[in-house]
Amino acid sequence: MTGSCDHDHHHDDGPLERPDSPWAGGLALSPNHDARRAPVDILLMHYTGMPDGLAALRRLCDPNPPRVSAHYVVFEDGEIVQCVAEGRRAWHAGAGSWQGREDVNSRSIGIEIVNPGHEWGYRPFPEAQIAAVINLSRDILTRHAIAPTGILAHSDTAPGRKQDPGELFPWGRLADEGVGLWVSPAPLQPGPTYRRGEEGPPIQALQALLAMAGYGLTVTGVFDAATEAVVTAFQRHWRQARVDGIADASTLRTLRDLLAAR
Ligand SMILES: [Zn+2]
């Protein structure tokens, strides 16, 4: 599919002639990118969230609104296509923040992983696809100063809007191969739980810990909808056994372990 949606677009650095990564089998250049305004320190994982991978690729190359893109697309059979040069700012993250900084697009490389997603039939990521994501990620890490703490889910930077790549994404497997940070999730266990509607010093502490981890939320002491969204996002990434937005003992333990590991 090399060049299948190249709109003969030109930019300051000249069009990409070959993929930045040797793991990418071809180019399908998207016109949807602009100049970075910050150094790259995040690798952001997405799922495509569409019934069909090729349709997703077409959308990422579509010059009509809503204009979106990503640097790479990884298909379920492990094929990798590059859409935007790594030096350019692709349009995949949208509104969101990490560590108190917005414009996630400027500081990130975006990988779109083909999966129908929660809307169209979320399913496990095939082994060939995960192996391809790992190879590509390791290669990207040789070119950019991205710390293990900077390898994130889209849902981490936009908890109120996004669920991808979701609770089936094997973050532990990636970390085993040198991609990202992982701590073993604490087992589900009885203990205090905090949920939407509660308030007080323990909620304040929970919010402070989540903000310390990088999540964008305000420490108010009130377990509001935004806090619930962040707890849910945390679980999708770090404590996948139960994703319910309730801060139970396992969630709190895993959060503390994660912060201690950094
Ligand atoms: Zn996404």
Side-chain angles (χ1 to χ4, degrees), residues 23-25 73-81 126-133 135-136:
W23 294 100
V73 178
V74 180
F75 288 83
E76 288 176 298
D77 64 0
E79 188 186 355
I80 301 172
V81 173
E127 169 55 30
Q129 188 179 34
I130 291 305
V133 169
N135 287 333
L136 174 62

Side-chain angles (χ1 to χ4, degrees), residues 166-248:
E167 62 278 6
L168 296 176
F169 193 71
W171 294 103
R173 164 87 198 285
L174 266 69
D176 285 346
E177 309 253 14
V179 180
L181 181 64
W182 184 248
V183 291
S184 292
L188 300 174
Q189 58 196 281
T193 63
Y194 304 103
R195 66 185 74 206
R196 191 164 170 181
E198 297 185 48
E199 50 185 274
I203 308 304
Q204 205 162 358
L206 168 68
Q207 291 170 327
L209 292 175
L210 288 165
M212 204 180 299
Y215 289 94
L217 88 171
T218 312
V219 178
T220 60
V222 179
F223 201 126
D224 54 7
T227 306
E228 186 179 56
V230 170
V231 170
T232 304
F234 175 84
Q235 292 169 335
R236 264 189 224 293
H237 187 153
W238 303 102
R239 208 292 303 274
Q240 298 175 325
R242 189 187 292 159
V243 179
D244 60 5
I246 297 170
D248 57 17

Side-chain angles (χ1 to χ4, degrees), residues 44-49 92-93 111-112 153-155 161-165:
L44 201 64
M45 302 292 183
H46 303 261
Y47 65 46
T48 49
H92 52 98
I111 300 179
E112 284 280 358
H154 194 192
S155 51
R161 299 188 302 119
K162 295 292 175 180
Q163 301 179 285
D164 60 315

Side-chain angles (χ1 to χ4, degrees), residues 84-192:
V84 174
E86 289 181 9
R88 301 287 293 176
R89 176 179 177 271
W91 304 343
H92 52 98
S97 74
W98 189 251
Q99 292 164 327
R101 290 164 56 199
E102 297 177 357
D103 191 4
V104 175
N105 282 335
S106 267
R107 51 190 293 217
S108 65
I109 291 191
I111 300 179
E112 284 280 358
I113 302 160
V114 172
N115 188 297
H118 293 86
E119 191 177 349
W120 299 99
Y122 190 42
R123 60 194 186 211
F125 299 88
E127 169 55 30
Q129 188 179 34
I130 291 305
V133 169
I134 289 168
N135 287 333
L136 174 62
S137 298
R138 289 171 60 119
D139 179 58
I140 290 169
L141 295 178
T142 67
R143 283 186 293 282
H144 303 274
I146 301 172
T149 50
I151 298 175
L152 299 169
H154 194 192
S155 51
D156 290 324
T157 66
R161 299 188 302 119
K162 295 292 175 180
Q163 301 179 285
D164 60 315
E167 62 278 6
L168 296 176
F169 193 71
W171 294 103
R173 164 87 198 285
L174 266 69
D176 285 346
E177 309 253 14
V179 180
L181 181 64
W182 184 248
V183 291
S184 292
L188 300 174
Q189 58 196 281

